Amino acid sequence: MKLTDAKKQFISSWGAFGTHWGINKTMAQIHALLMISPDPITQDDIMDELSISRGNVNMNIRDLINWGLVDRVIIPGERKEFFTAEKDIWKVATQIIKERKKRELDPMLKLLDQLEDVEGDKKDKNVKQFVETVSGIKKFGGQADKMLQVMVKADENWFVGSLLKFFK
Amino acid sequence: MKLTDAKKQFISSWGAFGTHWGINKTMAQIHALLMISPDPITQDDIMDELSISRGNVNMNIRDLINWGLVDRVIIPGERKEFFTAEKDIWKVATQIIKERKKRELDPMLKLLDQLEDVEGDKKDKNVKQFVETVSGIKKFGGQADKMLQVMVKADENWFVGSLLKFFK
DNA sequence: ATTAATTTTCAAAAAGTTTTGAAAATTCAA
DNA sequence: TTGAATTTTCAAAACTTTTTGAAAATTAAT
């Protein structure tokens, strides 16, 4: 397969993949393009490669920067801004995990704490099932939280090294 | 907090949580309602509790059944169909992982296999970066795949028991 | 200070997704 | 069978999200 075609396929399926994970298609495609670009590229490059508008590129790049996945690069002598993405997939993954934990898991666990002590007859099966469900999720979330914290602190070797530490 | 309010909050935030994970809000809310209901309930119960239309309930229940998270229950002597959800959150999680692995991770890894052997000058930095990125993702995905397989086979004790087996 | 290049913003348009509700299909009891 | 209860379907409406593009803001060179 030619590079041009392989690139197209990679970008398009990384985009589709992203939509299953709450990331919008264009954002994932820009990220894909940056990951396979050896050197930093400009907004215009991205507009051309993906055939999308300037505003679209600009907003999604901003999001990617907020996610900590893309950096603005100043190239001396160049007027335009350039962008580059973290290429190490382990770092990309831990960065995403870190952000999602902060944005989604932590608030959910906080809410469950409040919901757990619902007042009412503990004999009532409705109360009982509610409390059981909430505390089950809390317990599970807590475990997941611990595991993710370890993963995020460790790096390329977390698989062998750090999970063992976790079980020490 | 009263049960009624706690229920409302739980259902609404489980719905919001779901949307971050590619699951639609109503589907997640129905799932939440079923998880905290001690006994099986009908489509009409769900319509009333969540104030949504019959068609909406019907379609989302179908999806939940396809995901293996909800079961149809026949109650002898009752004309209507009843529904119930798996209450064990560990089973819920492994079921979701299993399905998403099948629907998302596996096809992605398959595609990357094809993309990895792009033809062209291995000295060209564009080719080089492309191949490196793709194989990095493949390697990472392969590890994740192995880990998920182990998690899915094990159950409530996977955390302590089975990950150790994985590293044997 | 002026100007041209570049980036950012954001209202409106387009595209995509979810929900409704009523008609069609199915089920089951008499 | 027949008919009432129930479930399913799906086109159209409502809602949500994404994209566009042109105007405003910013930047940097002269």
Side-chain angles (χ1 to χ4, degrees), chain A residues 37-54:
Chain A
S37 299
D39 302 312
I41 62 179
T42 65
Q43 288 203 356
D44 292 83
D45 294 334
I46 298 170
M47 287 166 65
D48 291 351
E49 285 271 359
L50 307 181
S51 313
I52 55 178
S53 73
R54 183 177 302 286

Side-chain angles (χ1 to χ4, degrees), chain B residues 41-60:
Chain B
I41 61 179
T42 65
Q43 288 203 355
D44 291 83
D45 295 333
I46 298 171
M47 286 167 65
D48 289 351
E49 286 270 359
L50 306 181
S51 311
I52 55 177
S53 73
R54 184 177 303 288
N56 200 0
V57 171
N58 196 277
M59 286 181 129
N60 281 295

Side-chain angles (χ1 to χ4, degrees), chain B residues 139-152:
Chain B
K139 200 175 132 204
F140 178 80
Q143 295 268 38
D145 193 8
K146 270 194 247 164
M147 186 178 93
L148 296 179
Q149 265 176 302
V150 173
M151 275 179 65
V152 163

Side-chain angles (χ1 to χ4, degrees), chain B residues 151-163:
Chain B
M151 275 179 65
V152 163
K153 273 193 207 119
D155 62 1
E156 188 140 355
N157 285 315
W158 64 265
F159 245 96
V160 245
S162 302
L163 274 175

Side-chain angles (χ1 to χ4, degrees), chain B residues 119-133:
Chain B
E119 66 201 41
D121 181 7
K122 290 283 147 63
K123 293 272 175 48
D124 176 348
K125 64 182 173 180
N126 291 290
V127 175
K128 218 170 146 224
Q129 182 61 61
F130 184 84
V131 172
E132 265 169 34
T133 301

Side-chain angles (χ1 to χ4, degrees), chain A residues 1 3 9 13 20-21 35-36 38-39 87 93 100 104 111 118-119 125-126 129 133 136 159 167, chain B residues 1 3 9 13 20-21 35-36 38-39 87 89 100 104 111 118-119 125-126 129 133 140 159 167:
Chain A
M1 189 187 286
L3 179 63
Q9 275 215 46
S13 52
H20 292 296
W21 289 88
M35 281 198 298
I36 59 178
D39 302 312
K87 303 277 188 314
R100 298 197 69 166
E104 296 156 30
L111 175 76
V118 61
E119 67 201 41
K125 65 182 173 180
N126 291 289
Q129 182 61 61
T133 302
F159 243 97
F167 291 117
Chain B
M1 189 186 283
L3 179 63
Q9 275 215 45
S13 52
H20 292 295
W21 290 88
M35 281 198 299
I36 59 177
D39 302 311
K87 301 277 186 317
I89 191 73
R100 298 197 69 165
E104 296 156 32
L111 175 76
V118 59
E119 66 201 41
K125 64 182 173 180
N126 291 290
Q129 182 61 61
T133 301
F140 178 80
F159 245 96
F167 290 118

